[in-house]
Amino acid sequence: MLSNAPLRARYAVSLLFFLCGVVFTSWASRIPAFKEQFHLNEAELGGVLFMLPMGSLIALPFAGWAVDKLGSRIMGSVSIMLYAAALYALSQSPTVFTLSIALFIFGFVGNTVNIAVNTQGLDVQRLTATVTQLREDLRRLREGAEQGVTDPA
């Protein structure tokens, strides 16, 4: 009997993808409120929002290194918690400057989550493909054995 580990791993990765979406959507839906809270015009808002992709860009080398050294499972688990904490930090920003710093961190951690979860997703996909192939091989073996028993030469 084959293990349920690939199925559990698939569910775990799916949950991480879902949580990433929930956290980012929670932030994106609050952008108009931040614009109003800090009395930002379009240009100022654009400048503040630019901190998010800057954090994402700076995260690339770190995230690749961290996933390689610590593994995608650990980095995915740790970084999703940090992502939620960064979302909370955004909500507690009292000034435009702290909002900008929090957005930079949010982008940095968000990209780290993204890289870790996608790497874990590839690992799960490989594991699932291996298990699927094994199941197919076992099915063929069983069918061959059944045919050998029912159709004696």
Side-chain angles (χ1 to χ4, degrees):
M1 175 180 238
L2 295 174
S3 168
N4 286 341
L7 186 60
R8 287 193 324 264
R10 187 172 171 193
Y11 286 147
V13 169
S14 297
L15 177 64
L16 282 175
F17 274 114
F18 176 76
L19 290 174
C20 287
V22 167
V23 171
F24 190 83
T25 302
S26 296
W27 150 247
S29 68
R30 300 280 303 143
I31 293 173
F34 282 107
K35 180 182 177 189
E36 184 178 317
Q37 176 184 349
F38 295 111
H39 309 288
L40 301 172
N41 63 33
E42 299 298 321
E44 293 167 333
L45 179 64
V48 169
L49 291 178
F50 187 65
M51 295 303 286
L52 184 81
M54 289 302 297
S56 293
L57 182 66
I58 300 298
L60 284 171
F62 166 77
W65 173 84
V67 167
D68 184 49
K69 293 295 178 196
L70 301 173
S72 59
R73 183 177 179 182
I74 291 171
M75 283 307 298
S77 300
V78 169
S79 58
I80 194 69
M81 290 184 279
L82 292 174
Y83 199 34
L87 178 64
Y88 179 75
L90 284 171
S91 72
Q92 300 302 307
S93 298
T95 66
V96 173
F97 179 74
T98 57
L99 177 64
S100 298
I101 298 300
L103 270 172
F104 180 87
I105 293 168
F106 188 72
F108 187 96
V109 175
N111 205 23
T112 303
V113 171
N114 198 1
I115 290 170
V117 171
N118 278 291
T119 303
Q120 186 67 24
L122 287 172
D123 292 344
V124 169
Q125 186 176 10
R126 283 188 209 113
L127 177 64
T128 305
T130 301
V131 169
T132 302
Q133 184 61 45
L134 179 60
R135 285 184 178 153
E136 183 63 23
D137 292 345
L138 290 173
R139 183 188 64 78
R140 288 182 183 154
L141 184 62
R142 185 196 76 232
E143 288 175 354
E146 288 173 353
Q147 185 175 4
V149 170
T150 58
D151 295 335

